[in-house]
Structure formats: structure tokens, C-alpha cells
Amino acid sequence: MKKILSLLLLLLLSAPALPQQFIAHPWQGKRVAYLGDSITDPRNNGSKKKFWSFLQDWLQITPYVYGVSGRQWNDIPRQTDKLKQEHGQDFDAIIIFMGTNDYNNGVPIGTWWDERVSQVEYGHGQPKTMVTRRQRTPSMDPTTFKGRINIALDSLKRTFPTKQIVLLTPIHRSDFHANEKNWQCDETYTNQCGLYLDAYVDAVKEAAGVWAVPVIDWSAACGLFPMLKEYGQYFHNAETDLLHPNDAGHERMAATLMYQLLALPCTFGK
């Protein structure tokens, strides 16, 4: 028996190595809708290529792009309607990158829920009866950031219940000086509501639990940090535009997103 085991071990050790197997990227060749603002908008001149352009090259993703410069979360329902009109259900997933303009325009954060006291039937180990409970429903206040996210995701999930929806947090932002009427300070300052950008990033991350959608924290993961002069190389203009990433910035964002998306299915079922 020992001789047989020794012979088997020798055969195993001398056998040629099996070829390495690679996992196919779950988003390879899919059709993805991108909703957002200027950093997504193909007409914005901050870069020649956008993050979704790189994903198109690397993963052969067909992009359906609806981002518009200057828009805030309250524009997502309009972009959703346009997506439905143009493609119906004939696409695979949605990626939303929005929030920096809500911060810049001083949109109040608001709350996720409206709460009230209600009557509901309940029975556990005894016949059901009417009991009094607190009940919460999503706040649909269009003047607040969380209310806008609620309105948008309520619309998206009702319109596209079978689609993967992924949220991206706003990235770090520094000075943007387009002209005397569009002079934006960096994120070390509060906005008109007295809030830092962090509050808006955190709200997008919280939306994951509220609406059962995955969130990729681009603010932390992509590494862009324009408050340091060394990162000016990743933005449109190191002197006047540290808000919009250039090609190098978009490539770095896209590389981060590509690897983060490996952990998420693009489609469900067959």
C-alpha cells in the first residue's frame, strides 16, 4: 500500500500544471445606463474620455448616457423617464453618479422617513386584533437631499424592478472657478446649509440600506484628492478646475469601478 501511495504522489508531482482559469467579468458586454451630472455628461469638456468610455473599451459595455452638467438628484426621475422612453426594458443595469451639485447648491439633507402613529392588525399566539404602532414611510420631500434620493429610487425601482441599480458616492472636490458668476470653493468649506460634502457622501451610502441597492464609495476608493496640489494632474485645470477629472482622472475612476463591479451581478436570472 505504501508503494502505491508513493507512486500516486510521484505521478501527481510530475503531472503538468493545469492551465490557469479566469473568471469572466460579470459586466462584460452588457448594456448599462449612466445617470448623473457633468462628470458623466459626454458634452462636458473637462476630459476627452469619461469613466464610462474606459469601461466601454475594457469591458465592451454599451453605454446609454443620460448625465447632464449641473444637474442634481431631483433630475434623476427625468433621466429615468428618458431611459424608459428610449430603451424600455432592453438594457441590463443602471449606474448613478450624483450629489456634488446638491452639496454646492446647499440642498438641505433632510430625513429618510416620515413617521406617524397608525392602527394595524396583529396577532401572535392569540387572535389578531387592532394595535397601535408607529409607522414610517419614505420622505418624499423634493427640497431635501434624502427626499430627492427617495423620490428617484422609488421611481427607478418601480420602473425597473428587475434591473441592477448601483449608486456611486460623490468624489472629493476642490476649487472650480469658471467665471465670476460660477466660483465654487473647495470641500473644506461648508455650503449654504452649514454642511460639509461628507454629509452628502454619507447620505448616498445610507441609501444602500434604505433602498436595498449596492453603493460603491468612489469618494474613498478611487483615490482622487484634489485638495493636494500633487493631484492636480488628474483634473481639468490645476489652477481653475479641480472639480472635473481629466482623462487620467477618469481612467483612475474607471479602473476602480471595474474592479468594484466584479463583486456585483449585472443581471439576475437567465
Side-chain angles (χ1 to χ4, degrees):
M1 180 62 109
K2 288 183 178 180
K3 289 183 178 180
I4 295 174
L5 291 174
S6 297
L7 181 60
L8 287 173
L9 180 61
L10 181 62
L11 289 171
L12 287 172
L13 291 174
S14 61
L18 295 174
Q20 185 176 5
Q21 295 183 355
F22 294 93
I23 299 173
H25 197 291
W27 293 65
Q28 181 81 35
K30 297 299 194 292
R31 299 156 301 172
V32 178
Y34 297 93
L35 313 184
D37 52 35
S38 60
I39 303 179
T40 301
D41 190 343
R43 294 159 295 191
N44 181 269
N45 64 2
S47 64
K48 296 182 179 65
K49 294 192 68 169
K50 309 301 180 191
F51 65 91
W52 48 264
S53 304
F54 287 102
L55 293 180
Q56 184 178 19
D57 292 345
W58 301 338
L59 297 176
Q60 291 74 57
I61 289 175
T62 300
Y64 301 146
V65 184
Y66 294 94
V68 179
S69 292
R71 298 303 173 92
Q72 304 168 35
W73 261 96
N74 59 357
D75 193 54
I76 294 297
R78 185 197 63 79
Q79 296 181 30
T80 299
D81 290 344
K82 191 172 182 182
L83 171 62
K84 178 68 181 298
Q85 291 168 9
E86 294 184 354
H87 296 286
Q89 300 287 331
D90 193 22
F91 66 97
D92 298 301
I94 299 167
I95 293 177
I96 305 173
F97 179 39
M98 188 74 91
T100 196
N101 291 316
D102 298 82
Y103 156 77
N104 183 60
N105 284 274
V107 176
I109 286 290
T111 61
W112 290 116
W113 308 104
D114 292 329
E115 191 175 64
R116 64 183 180 182
V117 176
S118 300
Q119 294 282 307
V120 65
E121 288 185 326
Y122 177 78
H124 184 68
Q126 58 186 0
K128 67 180 181 181
T129 185
M130 295 298 296
V131 297
T132 300
R133 297 282 177 88
R134 297 198 316 276
Q135 181 187 20
R136 67 183 188 181
T137 55
S139 170
M140 296 296 179
D141 184 349
T143 68
T144 70
F145 189 62
K146 291 179 180 178
R148 290 176 172 189
I149 294 176
N150 282 340
I151 292 169
L153 290 180
D154 180 83
S155 173
L156 278 163
K157 280 187 161 279
R158 291 179 190 276
T159 307
F160 304 116
T162 65
K163 305 302 181 185
Q164 175 68 280
I165 300 171
V166 179
L167 307 186
L168 308 176
T169 63
I171 61 172
H172 288 277
R173 51 177 291 157
S174 191
D175 295 320
F176 176 60
H177 303 154
N179 53 60
E180 291 298 318
K181 293 185 178 181
N182 190 2
W183 194 277
Q184 301 178 25
C185 52
D186 69 54
E187 67 176 52
T188 64
Y189 297 91
T190 60
N191 62 11
Q192 301 95 309
C193 292
L195 296 172
Y196 292 104
L197 179 63
D198 309 23
Y200 298 81
V201 172
D202 290 342
V204 174
K205 290 191 283 188
E206 290 169 10
V210 175
W211 285 100
V213 291
V215 174
I216 294 174
D217 187 3
W218 240 356
S219 175
C222 77
L224 298 182
F225 198 69
M227 277 68 67
L228 299 181
K229 65 179 182 180
E230 289 80 3
Y231 284 82
Q233 63 186 297
Y234 290 107
F235 288 83
H236 181 223
N237 187 303
E239 299 299 323
T240 62
D241 187 357
L242 290 165
L243 171 62
H244 300 100
N246 59 19
D247 284 19
H250 274 275
E251 183 174 14
R252 185 162 177 166
M253 292 159 63
T256 302
L257 183 56
M258 181 177 69
Y259 284 101
Q260 294 283 322
L261 290 176
L262 272 170
L264 296 173
C266 183
T267 57
F268 303 99
K270 296 181 180 179

